[in-house]
Amino acid sequence: MRLLHSFAIAAALAAAAVAQDKVTLNNGDVLTGKLKSMADGKLVITSPAIGDVTVPMANVTNIATADTVELLTQQGDRVKRRI
């Protein structure tokens, strides 16, 4: 029974780690957490380990979101989808 409980906790933690947003930087570093904003050429991601991290968009090579996000296009349209 104890082994099953430990397995359930490990599975829950693994699922939480997979469900995070991921930002890949030019140097290959990957930031995980929750995408907070993208504006004025900067991206802000909130990491559970280190708090808010602001990165210039010029340093970002890839963004992957776990959930849908609301995007405002240059034409002024609002779009909700995963990145």
Side-chain angles (χ1 to χ4, degrees):
M1 184 67 151
R2 187 173 194 180
L3 179 62
L4 182 60
H5 187 314
S6 297
F7 179 74
I9 290 173
L13 291 174
V18 170
Q20 294 184 353
D21 300 335
K22 294 180 183 180
V23 176
T24 305
L25 305 179
N26 294 343
N27 66 1
D29 288 351
V30 178
L31 302 172
T32 58
K34 182 69 178 163
L35 188 62
K36 194 171 184 181
S37 67
M38 291 188 308
D40 302 323
K42 296 178 184 173
L43 177 142
V44 180
I45 186 167
T46 300
S47 167
I50 56 177
D52 286 355
V53 178
T54 302
V55 180
M57 286 298 294
N59 294 348
V60 175
T61 59
N62 191 40
I63 302 170
T65 59
D67 296 321
T68 59
V69 293
E70 185 172 313
L71 303 170
L72 180 62
T73 67
Q74 290 181 339
Q75 294 76 23
D77 299 326
R78 292 190 184 271
V79 180
K80 287 188 178 186
R81 65 173 162 182
R82 289 180 57 200
I83 301 174

